[in-house]
Amino acid sequence: MISKTYTCSLQGVDAILVEIEVDLSSGLPCFNMVGLPDNIVRESKDRVKTAIHNSGYPFPRERITVNLAPAHIKKEGAGYDLPIAVGILAALGLVNPSRAQEAILVGELALDGRVKPVTGCLSMAIQARNSGYGEFLLPSENAREAAVIEQVSVLPVTHLSQVLEHFSARNPIPSISPLETPPSPPEVFHDMDFEEVKGQEQTKRGMEVAGAGGHNLIMIGPPGAGKTMLAQRISGILPQLSFEESLETSKIFSVAGLLKNQSLMSRRPFRAPHHTISEAGLIGGGSVPRPGEVSLAHNGVLFLDELPEFRRNVLDLLRQPLEDGRVTIARAAISLTYPSRFMLIAAMNPCPCGYAGDPHRHCSCTAPQLQRYRSRISGPILDRIDLHIEVPSVKYEDLHSERPSEASVAIRERIMTAREIQLERFAEDTIYCNAQMKPRHIRKHCPLDVSCKNLLERAINQLGLSARAYHRILKVSRTIADLDGETPIAPHHLLEAIQYRSLDRRLF
């Protein structure tokens, strides 16, 4: 007898439908599995057999053949345990075969029949809805993340016996109500506030501009100037994720197994990998492909502290995500694409010792040391960073000043106003902020009058700026004008944007 069940397989951050066929035929007892299963899927036959037996159901003493279709796609993970077990029991007549085919099943089985959590259930719920399935049976630990998808009944399962009783209508599993919107964040958006930062008003202004337009930013300054402290507080001034952005980001965290039994993410992610990170850790990939830090920072912030300490080949891999907002990982059998649209915040010292150009400390670095240090960051990477900000040492009078610093909530209100202008401007496009503008958007939304054109021409010729830097200046100018609530770009907007290209004027 042949039975069919359906599950989903992850391909990148999306899921595809997988049909599981189970055939019981005469012959020597054996358990064969075909359809490109990996080692974890092959091992499922032992888990399934033991789980069925320990749940009090008979296991067939016949030849069992399990086919995972489509056969050309590699099947990975332990989420196939539950649908395979239900398929075997359906072939035995213990489950109504037609009833089992009306649902999507996913879950790992423990040896006693318990259903254990898996990754990527949010993407699977989206695929279940798109494929027209009304029920999605999954581990109870993953139920909240899948419940945000409407038009699918999400049924949390804790044991194999629950599934059989549900399909036999003896004890139907109640569904979880859909969560239409992500939970509202608390009043305090971050436990670190800009009012704790003394001095550094120019750097704070640069961070406000970066946050308002979603621009990449690099800070150059001596040790102890507050670069890391400033970067850690940028999450407190960024706007809340929209529902679409929250869904995109939550899918990535679900695939990576980092959603931690919650529904949707409401805060923008802040990722700060160590400089010893590998290529696969930063960009993604590995023997079992997983999203890297650039994808986990999607719609959020990627902070790279001590930028020159990262290996140059690792940094050069940032070119594609910084330019295209996605990462493509090619394998012999498949090519996966992960979204990676993020704000890059980087920090570095001006030299190996950290005190080049400091009026109070002597720099002990030699010329060859400076050259090696500077060459660790390629020009194309710096060219893709919109704002270059020099962070000086904090003065004593600033540290002991009684004057209160501006709080994050005040900065965030200005950023929210500027973002609302941009959302209205790009309502007919698939972008959310000025940093994502393409050349056609720049031509449309960044017109310059004669005085601005002359000013920008002099800057391009004197500084030797590239075409990419030219577009970056226009994008930043557009953001500064939005912060001022002005429609046309004025000369003072351009001048402020040009001053943020300090690494184009001199290397450090």
Side-chain angles (χ1 to χ4, degrees), residues 108-266:
E108 177 185 348
L109 288 177
L111 298 184
D112 59 358
R114 288 179 295 110
V115 181
K116 304 173 71 173
V118 295
T119 60
C121 286
L122 178 56
S123 300
M124 296 178 188
I126 295 173
Q127 178 59 46
R129 179 197 61 188
N130 297 340
S131 301
Y133 286 86
E135 293 183 344
F136 181 29
L137 283 76
L138 76 169
S140 58
E141 289 89 343
N142 300 120
R144 287 195 64 194
E145 63 183 89
V148 299
I149 306 302
E150 297 179 345
Q151 301 171 341
V152 175
S153 295
V154 175
L155 309 179
V157 177
T158 59
H159 198 275
L160 175 61
S161 58
Q162 272 187 288
V163 181
L164 272 67
E165 292 180 1
H166 173 77
F167 287 145
S168 64
R170 290 193 298 268
N171 190 13
I173 302 173
S175 62
I176 294 182
S177 301
L179 304 175
E180 297 182 0
T181 57
S184 299
E187 290 296 324
V188 179
F189 283 83
H190 203 269
D191 56 355
M192 299 180 182
D193 200 289
F194 269 99
E195 68 179 357
E196 301 170 342
V197 181
K198 299 294 185 179
Q200 305 297 8
E201 299 303 324
Q202 176 68 16
T203 308
K204 293 179 185 177
R205 169 62 178 176
M207 291 203 134
E208 179 179 342
V209 173
H215 301 288
N216 302 322
L217 176 148
I218 185 171
M219 296 176 284
I220 309 99
K227 302 185 294 295
T228 303
M229 186 178 185
L230 286 160
Q232 291 172 339
R233 282 155 178 75
I234 196 167
S235 296
I237 63 175
L238 295 179
Q240 181 186 355
L241 288 166
S242 66
F243 181 77
E244 293 76 12
E245 290 177 315
S246 180
L247 191 61
E248 291 176 357
T249 306
S250 299
K251 282 173 60 177
I252 299 171
F253 274 71
S254 175
V255 169
L258 300 176
L259 209 49
K260 302 300 182 185
N261 196 24
Q262 59 179 332
S263 52
L264 291 183
M265 299 183 63
S266 58

Side-chain angles (χ1 to χ4, degrees), residues 220 348-351 370 373-374 377 390 503 506-508:
I220 309 99
M348 61 181 293
N349 296 329
C351 65
L370 284 171
Y373 187 76
R374 296 168 180 175
I377 307 173
E390 298 183 13
L503 297 185
R506 59 184 180 83
L507 191 54
F508 292 103

Side-chain angles (χ1 to χ4, degrees), residues 429-430 437-445:
D429 297 295
T430 57
M437 286 194 292
K438 303 298 181 185
R440 67 179 184 275
H441 301 122
I442 295 176
R443 289 193 299 269
K444 180 180 179 180
H445 301 296

Side-chain angles (χ1 to χ4, degrees), residues 188-486:
V188 179
F189 283 83
H190 203 269
D191 56 355
M192 299 180 182
D193 200 289
F194 269 99
E195 68 179 357
E196 301 170 342
V197 181
K198 299 294 185 179
Q200 305 297 8
E201 299 303 324
Q202 176 68 16
T203 308
K204 293 179 185 177
R205 169 62 178 176
M207 291 203 134
E208 179 179 342
V209 173
H215 301 288
N216 302 322
L217 176 148
I218 185 171
M219 296 176 284
I220 309 99
K227 302 185 294 295
T228 303
M229 186 178 185
L230 286 160
Q232 291 172 339
R233 282 155 178 75
I234 196 167
S235 296
I237 63 175
L238 295 179
Q240 181 186 355
L241 288 166
S242 66
F243 181 77
E244 293 76 12
E245 290 177 315
S246 180
L247 191 61
E248 291 176 357
T249 306
S250 299
K251 282 173 60 177
I252 299 171
F253 274 71
S254 175
V255 169
L258 300 176
L259 209 49
K260 302 300 182 185
N261 196 24
Q262 59 179 332
S263 52
L264 291 183
M265 299 183 63
S266 58
R267 293 184 179 179
R268 297 184 182 274
F270 181 88
R271 307 294 297 183
H274 193 260
H275 61 78
T276 57
I277 192 170
S278 65
E279 298 177 10
L282 183 65
I283 300 299
S287 56
V288 178
R290 288 172 51 88
E293 291 291 334
V294 297
S295 297
L296 294 172
H298 182 61
N299 290 324
V301 176
L302 178 68
F303 176 48
L304 301 183
D305 200 5
E306 303 294 342
L307 188 65
E309 301 300 326
F310 288 80
R311 288 178 294 172
R312 176 163 179 166
N313 62 316
V314 173
L315 289 180
D316 285 341
L317 292 174
L318 290 173
R319 296 186 187 184
Q320 183 193 13
L322 286 175
E323 199 69 27
D324 302 331
R326 63 180 184 272
V327 169
T328 301
I329 300 172
R331 293 290 184 267
I334 194 171
S335 179
L336 302 176
T337 298
Y338 294 109
S340 56
R341 187 175 58 244
F342 57 87
M343 277 181 60
L344 173 64
I345 305 295
M348 61 181 293
N349 296 329
C351 65
C353 76
Y355 297 106
D358 193 304
H360 307 294
R361 301 290 295 271
H362 172 69
C363 176
S364 60
C365 302
T366 63
Q369 288 176 324
L370 284 171
Q371 181 60 34
R372 285 194 300 270
Y373 187 76
R374 296 168 180 175
S375 64
R376 293 177 185 175
I377 307 173
S378 64
I381 292 296
L382 289 177
D383 219 18
R384 287 170 168 82
I385 299 178
D386 303 344
L387 288 83
H388 310 159
I389 301 179
E390 298 183 13
V391 185
S393 299
V394 184
K395 298 179 180 179
Y396 177 82
E397 51 266 30
D398 289 331
L399 289 173
H400 286 268
S401 174
E402 297 296 331
R403 184 183 60 178
S405 300
E406 190 174 29
S408 292
V409 65
I411 302 174
R412 185 177 180 274
E413 288 178 359
R414 295 195 295 269
I415 289 177
M416 287 292 295
T417 302
R419 285 289 184 110
E420 289 172 2
I421 295 173
Q422 294 166 49
L423 289 175
E424 183 178 353
R425 175 184 300 137
F426 304 124
E428 299 180 356
D429 297 295
T430 57
I431 59 178
Y432 302 99
C433 57
N434 290 332
Q436 299 169 10
M437 286 194 292
K438 303 298 181 185
R440 67 179 184 275
H441 301 122
I442 295 176
R443 289 193 299 269
K444 180 180 179 180
H445 301 296
C446 302
L448 302 178
D449 58 21
V450 175
S451 60
C452 288
K453 289 180 179 177
N454 293 335
L455 176 62
L456 190 54
E457 181 182 5
R458 291 198 301 272
I460 294 292
N461 292 334
Q462 292 179 13
L463 301 178
L465 301 178
S466 66
R468 186 180 286 112
Y470 164 80
H471 286 139
R472 303 281 175 185
I473 290 175
L474 289 178
K475 292 179 184 179
V476 174
S477 301
R478 178 70 273 164
T479 299
I480 297 171
D482 291 342
L483 282 170
D484 291 345
E486 300 179 14

